[in-house]
Amino acid sequence: MKRFLSYRRQLHLFLLPYLLGSILLTLLPALATTAVAFTRYNALQPPQWVGLNNFARLLDSPMVRISLYSSLVFLALAVPLRLFAALALALLMQQKRRFFGFYRAAVYLPTLIPETAYALIWLWIFNPLYGPLNLALAWLGFPTPAWLTDPQAARFAIVLMLLLQIGEGFVVLLAGLQQIPRAVYEAAHVDGADGWRSFFYITLPLLTPWLLLLTFRDLIMSLQNSFTPTFVLTYGGPYYATTFVPLLVYEVGFDLFDFGLAAAILVVLYLFLLLLILGTLSSAREVMGLYEE
């Protein structure tokens, strides 16, 4: 078999199961969701075509506007912080030193914890009376926020707990750093470049494709992974501050049985994320243009 197949064809065969899985588990459900968005469907009766009626209802819904705003604020906080933390840890641990293998495993460990168990751990950590976070802040003399009962603090609490689940981004950036030849840094050092110049003119430009990949991934995964924390910790409160789009879709679909409206919200979310990705690509092209100049 190997004798008659080229290397490229062998690679295509290895990628075929992933392609089929993506089509069956991602593309087809997305197309079905788009079709349901144009119907009135409650899972008890056959769907009825209503055209753009569900999208017109979205425009008139203050709850949808609140959810989109909360989701946008959440992404604006979570995605940059997760990327910065993953990059900082990858830069810190790229060298092979004593115990660094243990430290790398420790960074990845929170990613392996089941989402519900991880949320319950943070429910204890955020407890305003006996939670370890507020006890530590009080011991250091800092204010102790009411993490899950204050709207602004609750939104930041979700960001904080997801900030520790950066194992995959950390591994990707660590692999990207190891792909940069050491000779490039040595030549820059001979030319008089210090650590900061090497970072801004060598490391950052060469890591840009990896950072873009993680940005696109986090724009989708951060919002998706917010469902379990908001469901377990706050259920969208207080005052709808943590009612992000995934939780709103769940409430509309499985509490109100309005699957047509829930699908329309998902379609709007797809378009919303597409605009964010296109904006990120445009910004990346401008930054890369500055580096080339």
Side-chain angles (χ1 to χ4, degrees):
M1 185 74 175
K2 293 182 179 179
R3 182 179 302 174
F4 298 102
L5 290 178
S6 66
Y7 179 70
R8 184 178 296 274
R9 290 183 179 274
Q10 292 180 44
L11 290 180
H12 290 167
L13 287 176
F14 280 118
L15 291 174
L16 184 60
Y18 178 80
L19 177 61
L20 293 176
S22 299
I23 293 174
L24 292 175
L25 301 177
T26 303
L27 182 60
L28 292 181
L31 294 176
T33 299
T34 304
V36 172
F38 296 94
T39 66
R40 181 185 295 113
Y41 180 53
N42 60 6
L44 302 176
Q45 299 173 341
Q48 299 177 357
W49 181 265
V50 295
L52 298 175
N53 182 60
N54 289 325
F55 296 95
R57 293 168 61 193
L58 290 183
L59 295 177
D60 296 332
S61 173
M63 191 66 243
V64 173
R65 292 195 293 269
I66 292 173
S67 179
L68 287 175
Y69 170 76
S70 298
S71 300
L72 180 61
V73 173
F74 169 75
L75 289 176
L77 290 173
V79 174
L81 288 176
R82 283 168 59 90
L83 287 176
F84 177 80
L87 178 59
L89 290 173
L91 290 170
L92 183 64
M93 300 184 191
Q94 63 177 319
Q95 304 295 334
K96 294 182 179 180
R97 297 180 182 177
R98 191 177 183 183
F99 299 120
F100 267 33
F102 172 78
Y103 297 148
R104 292 174 181 177
V107 173
Y108 195 83
L109 182 61
T111 309
L112 302 177
I113 302 176
E115 291 184 355
T116 303
Y118 187 71
L120 290 174
I121 292 172
W122 280 94
L123 184 63
W124 166 66
I125 292 175
F126 286 133
N127 188 286
L129 298 179
Y130 55 83
L133 181 56
N134 272 5
L135 291 177
L137 291 175
W139 184 75
L140 294 172
F142 292 104
T144 55
W147 290 104
L148 302 180
T149 57
D150 178 77
Q152 300 299 328
R155 191 178 292 145
F156 185 74
I158 305 299
V159 173
L160 181 61
M161 67 173 293
L162 293 180
L163 185 59
L164 295 183
Q165 289 187 314
I166 56 172
E168 294 177 357
F170 165 75
V171 170
V172 169
L173 291 178
L174 193 62
L177 287 172
Q178 293 176 351
Q179 296 298 316
I180 301 176
R182 296 296 99 186
V184 178
Y185 292 103
E186 295 172 358
H189 180 71
V190 171
D191 290 337
D194 56 11
W196 285 108
R197 288 179 180 272
S198 297
F199 172 75
F200 282 109
Y201 291 99
I202 298 176
T203 305
L204 198 57
L206 293 178
L207 276 184
T208 297
W210 306 80
L211 292 171
L212 285 176
L213 173 65
L214 291 177
T215 300
F216 301 153
R217 175 190 175 277
D218 273 10
L219 284 173
I220 299 173
M221 297 302 297
S222 294
L223 199 57
Q224 177 181 327
N225 292 341
S226 69
F227 173 78
T228 300
T230 54
F231 186 86
V232 174
L233 270 65
T234 62
Y235 203 75
Y239 305 108
Y240 304 107
T242 59
T243 305
F244 304 137
V245 173
L247 182 61
L248 179 64
V249 171
Y250 172 83
E251 291 179 346
V252 172
F254 294 96
D255 289 348
L256 303 178
F257 289 96
D258 195 342
F259 290 100
L261 183 61
I265 297 174
L266 273 178
V267 171
V268 172
L269 177 60
Y270 294 157
L271 296 176
F272 176 70
L273 290 176
L274 178 61
L275 291 176
L276 285 178
I277 290 174
L278 292 177
T280 304
L281 276 174
S282 177
S283 301
R285 289 194 187 99
E286 294 180 0
V287 172
M288 293 304 297
L290 292 176
Y291 278 118
E292 291 176 358
E293 294 177 358

